[in-house]
Amino acid sequence: VSASSHLRFYVQTDRAEGFYQLGLAEIDAWTGTKRLVIKDGKVQELADIGEINMGKSDSLRDFIIWASSQYDADRNMLVLWDHGMAWQGFGGDDFDGDQMTLAEIDTGIKDGLAGASIDKFDIAGFDACLMGDIAVLRMMAPYTPYLLASEDLEPSHGWNYEAFDIVAKSPSASVLDLGKEIIKGYIAQAKSQKRHHSITMALYDTAKLAAFNTALDGFSDALLAGLTKDGKPDVDGKLLTPLAKARSLVQRFGRPPAPKHDYQ
C-alpha cells in the first residue's frame, strides 16, 4: 500500500505458544498480545499488553477504544480477522480456548463505540469464513451502514489488503469504492492461487435489512400457518410442493457433499 498520511492500520494481534515462530518486520517473534500501527509501509509496535483472552468482549471493547484514541480519523473501519462460524460466533483464542459468540461481539462493539465516542463505523468486515450470515448481519446492522463478509469458506490467504491502496491514493474515495476494491482484490488473489472456484464475498447495505426482516417474517408466518397441530407439514402438498420448487431456484453456498450435513 502506498505511503500516505491519510491511511493507518491499528492492529491488535495475539499469538499462542508454538503456532508461529517468526517475527514481523523489525519485531522479534513473540507470544501474547501486541498493539501495532502500520503506516507508510512500516510496522511499529506501540504496546505489548501481555497475554489476554481475545475471545472476550472486553478485549474487543478495549481495542476499539484504544485504536480510536490514537488518531483522529474522518472515517473508521473495523476488520475482524480469524476463523468464522456464522451464527455460532467468531475467532478462537488458542491459548485460552475461547471464542466470541455473536452476543459477545455485539457487547464488545457497542461498549467500544460508546467508550470511543463514535456513533458507528463507516464500514466493517469479517476476514473470516461464513460470516455473511443473517444472524451476523442483524447483530452488526446497528454499528455500520456497510458490512463485508463471505457466505462461504474463505481460502487461507484471506483478503488482499493491497486493496486499501485506493484510500492511500484517493483519500476521498467512498466506502462503497473501498468495499468494491476489497472484493476485486480478494477475487484476483484467489484466482492467482487457483482458489477462486468456490469463493464468495459480498458488501451488504445494512439499511436494507429491515425490509429483508419483514419479508423473512412473512415467509416464516406462511410456513407456520401450513403446519398441522402436531407441528408437521401438511401432507396434501399445499406447503411442501411450492416450498420445494422455490428452494430449487435459490442460489446456495457451501453445500457439503454429505446429505446429512446439508443444512445451509
Side-chain angles (χ1 to χ4, degrees), residues 1 14 16 22 24 30-31 39 42 45 48 60 96-97 103 118 120 128 130 141 156 161 207 222 242-243 250:
V1 177
D14 184 26
L22 301 178
L24 176 64
W30 77 91
T31 58
K39 62 178 181 177
K42 297 180 180 180
E45 179 180 336
D48 187 326
L60 179 56
D96 294 285
I118 297 173
K120 291 185 177 184
L130 303 174
S156 56
Y161 285 79
L243 182 61
V250 172

Side-chain angles (χ1 to χ4, degrees), residues 240-254:
L240 291 180
T241 300
L243 182 61
K245 288 181 178 180
R247 182 173 181 177
S248 69
L249 300 174
V250 172
Q251 188 177 14
R252 305 182 67 188
F253 305 102

Side-chain angles (χ1 to χ4, degrees), residues 10-21:
Y10 290 98
V11 181
Q12 181 163 291
T13 176
D14 184 26
R15 288 180 172 181
E17 189 75 40
F19 278 81
Y20 194 72
Q21 307 302 324

Side-chain angles (χ1 to χ4, degrees), residues 61 64-65 108-121 142-143:
R61 175 202 65 197
I64 293 171
I65 295 172
I109 294 177
K110 178 176 64 177
D111 293 347
L113 288 173
S117 298
I118 297 173
D119 181 35
K120 291 185 177 184
F121 293 106
Y143 308 122

